Amino acid sequence: MPNTPRNPRRRPLRSVLVTLLAALVPLLAATLLTAPTASARPERAAAAPTATLTEVTDFGPNPSNLQMYLYVPDSVTVKPAVVVAVHYCTGSGPAMYSNTEWASLADRYGFVVVYPSVTRASKCFDVSSPQALKRGGGSDPVGIKSMVDWVSRTYSADPARIFATGISSGAMMTNVLLGDYPDVFSAGAAFSGVPFGCFATTDGSEWNSACSGGTVTHTPQEWGDLVRAAYPGYTGPRPRMQVWHGTEDDVLRYPNFGEEIKQWTNVLGVSQTPAAGDTPVAGWNRTRYGATGDRAPVEAISLQGIGHNLYVTGMAARALTFFGLDSSGPAPQPQPGSCKVTASTNAWNTGLTASVTLTNTSTTAINGWTLGFTLPTGQTITNGWGATYTPSSGAVTATNVSYNGTLAPNASVTLGYQANHTGNSAAPGAFTLNGTACTG
């Protein structure tokens, strides 16, 4: 038989438990720290240092390897606005930071500035490939959208106050961003650019000589259709657009300025006839479309005798006014709900009649109105009453007639039209009054 100890020494039970717990606690802590459960939520990204240009990495999907630079002022507001400032060819995010006043304006008004930066050899943004001209298509716009998303998550940015601006290649990208992501951007300001889709190529080339030479022209409807095709089925509000161009531009010729106006007035459903015009600076001719104030749906500034490199200090401040950010804290914006629209249709086999009632729900009278809406696919207006309609299909603008152009606060006007259809007899689902979205 094996020898067994006689009268072994026993430790008190409490002492044993304490020893066991002392050993188990570090193990449990290590397990919790190194093996999160499947339901654990990702942490919000750390905020960037303030008052300095900072590069942010790992900001999200970035198929074309863009770099993201960020400027956050010391005075950043709660739920800040965001401005995406896009550089010119041969430029960079840091160059855009150094050579424009967006950072100093951010210091003054408390918004955040994003500076995307190209890494490809040309230092030009992709505004020509099929991938770039489609929402989520897999090129530069996707990376820029990821930058906006990162800022929105990190700083709880105001989704109603996200803007894009750019110079030359950056101006072309501004047009592209507003077309690809109309649900993200509230407005844009393009300095020496071309319309969305004008630079399109299918051979892999970044350059389109016909567009740069000013020989690509389309009807407003055709230009508008190019924008709408970037996000098929989208019926929500569209961003406002400010465009700048020099009459002597020898890189992106001046006719592109007029084509941009045609495109964005059509997209926003406003008349191509200016609602207002003035000369804010000698040699500058400014026209506004759809409204007369600083935040009209479309604003266009033509600079007499100026070439491609038109950007000078002070212009960003004017873009800021167009954005509505030139006051501390959240700036007033064109507010949805200043108008209300109800619409119904009465259909038969291949035709229908529509009745549309527009109500001015603002506190001021409207003197002259244009009602924008998009007809469902397959519908074509054959005649109408209470307004003039142009064009007859697609994005339609209904303009008041002589006897109903003034709408007092809370006053309504009823208009209507007859249309052919190929199966879809529904009423339009979204309307804009002088460029501002109406409630349904």
Side-chain angles (χ1 to χ4, degrees):
M1 292 180 61
N3 293 327
T4 58
R6 294 177 64 187
N7 300 320
R9 184 179 179 182
R10 296 186 179 181
R11 298 174 64 187
L13 180 59
R14 181 175 179 181
S15 175
V16 173
L17 289 175
V18 168
T19 302
L20 288 172
L21 287 172
L24 286 173
V25 166
L27 291 173
L28 288 170
T31 301
L32 290 172
L33 288 172
T34 58
T37 65
S39 61
R41 295 180 180 179
E43 293 294 325
R44 177 180 289 187
T50 59
T52 186
L53 187 68
T54 303
E55 183 175 5
V56 176
T57 58
D58 298 325
F59 49 83
N62 183 24
S64 54
N65 195 34
L66 297 179
Q67 292 174 288
M68 174 184 175
Y69 292 90
L70 186 71
Y71 183 80
V72 181
D74 285 332
S75 59
V76 64
T77 61
V78 176
K79 203 172 182 182
V82 180
V83 173
V84 179
V86 193
H87 67 74
Y88 38 88
C89 280
T90 74
S92 66
M96 194 71 174
Y97 165 77
S98 299
N99 296 324
T100 66
E101 65 269 38
W102 284 108
S104 61
L105 290 169
D107 286 335
R108 183 175 180 183
Y109 296 110
F111 57 85
V112 176
V113 190
V114 176
Y115 298 95
S117 196
V118 170
T119 57
R120 65 177 61 89
S122 67
K123 300 298 182 181
C124 296
F125 285 91
D126 176 14
V127 295
S128 57
S129 74
Q131 292 78 20
L133 300 174
K134 179 182 178 183
R135 179 185 179 85
S139 188
D140 292 354
V142 172
I144 296 174
K145 166 67 161 49
S146 295
M147 298 177 195
V148 171
D149 290 343
W150 187 94
V151 173
S152 296
R153 291 191 304 268
T154 305
Y155 294 93
S156 299
D158 185 348
R161 298 190 301 143
I162 296 174
F163 306 92
T165 186
I167 302 169
S168 189
S169 178
M172 293 191 277
M173 178 53 72
T174 297
N175 277 265
V176 170
L177 289 172
L178 268 59
D180 285 356
Y181 296 103
D183 54 331
V184 173
F185 294 94
S186 297
F191 296 84
S192 301
V194 302
F196 178 101
C198 182
F199 240 62
T201 60
T202 56
D203 60 0
S205 171
E206 294 181 31
W207 192 257
N208 185 318
S209 296
C211 177
S212 65
T215 62
V216 176
T217 61
H218 290 295
T219 66
Q221 180 70 29
E222 289 168 341
W223 278 125
D225 287 345
L226 286 175
V227 171
R228 287 181 285 271
Y231 188 2
Y234 177 73
T235 59
R238 295 277 179 174
R240 298 176 299 112
M241 176 60 101
Q242 182 189 63
V243 294
W244 301 68
H245 223 102
T247 61
E248 301 303 315
D249 193 327
D250 59 355
V251 177
L252 301 174
R253 298 284 182 176
Y254 184 66
N256 283 299
F257 177 65
E259 299 302 302
E260 283 180 290
I261 295 171
K262 288 160 61 175
Q263 182 171 69
W264 291 104
T265 52
N266 179 267
V267 168
L268 288 161
V270 300
S271 173
Q272 293 177 63
T273 301
D278 64 357
T279 306
V281 173
W284 294 15
N285 295 311
R286 178 172 62 188
T287 48
R288 289 167 168 166
Y289 302 83
T292 60
D294 287 337
R295 293 188 288 279
V298 177
E299 181 174 275
I301 303 96
S302 171
L303 281 66
Q304 185 64 37
I306 302 300
H308 185 64
N309 296 323
L310 62 76
Y311 184 88
V312 295
T313 299
M315 289 181 175
R318 292 182 179 272
L320 200 74
T321 297
F322 179 75
F323 293 164
L325 295 181
D326 54 349
S327 62
S328 59
Q333 298 289 305
Q335 293 297 320
S338 63
C339 49
K340 179 181 178 180
V341 174
T342 58
S344 61
T345 59
N346 183 17
W348 58 93
N349 290 343
T350 59
L352 62 87
T353 58
S355 178
V356 179
T357 299
L358 164 65
T359 302
N360 174 17
T361 57
S362 71
T363 58
T364 59
I366 296 171
N367 295 306
W369 51 264
T370 58
L371 187 66
F373 56 92
T374 300
L375 287 176
T377 301
Q379 290 187 19
T380 303
I381 294 175
T382 55
N383 62 78
W385 50 93
T388 57
Y389 299 84
T390 182
S392 59
S393 62
V396 176
T397 298
T399 304
N400 68 270
V401 290
S402 58
Y403 60 81
N404 65 4
T406 299
L407 276 178
N410 298 314
S412 298
V413 61
T414 297
L415 51 146
Y417 56 86
Q418 184 172 337
N420 296 328
H421 69 83
T422 58
N424 186 346
S425 60
F431 294 84
T432 59
L433 174 62
N434 294 344
T436 298
C438 298
T439 58

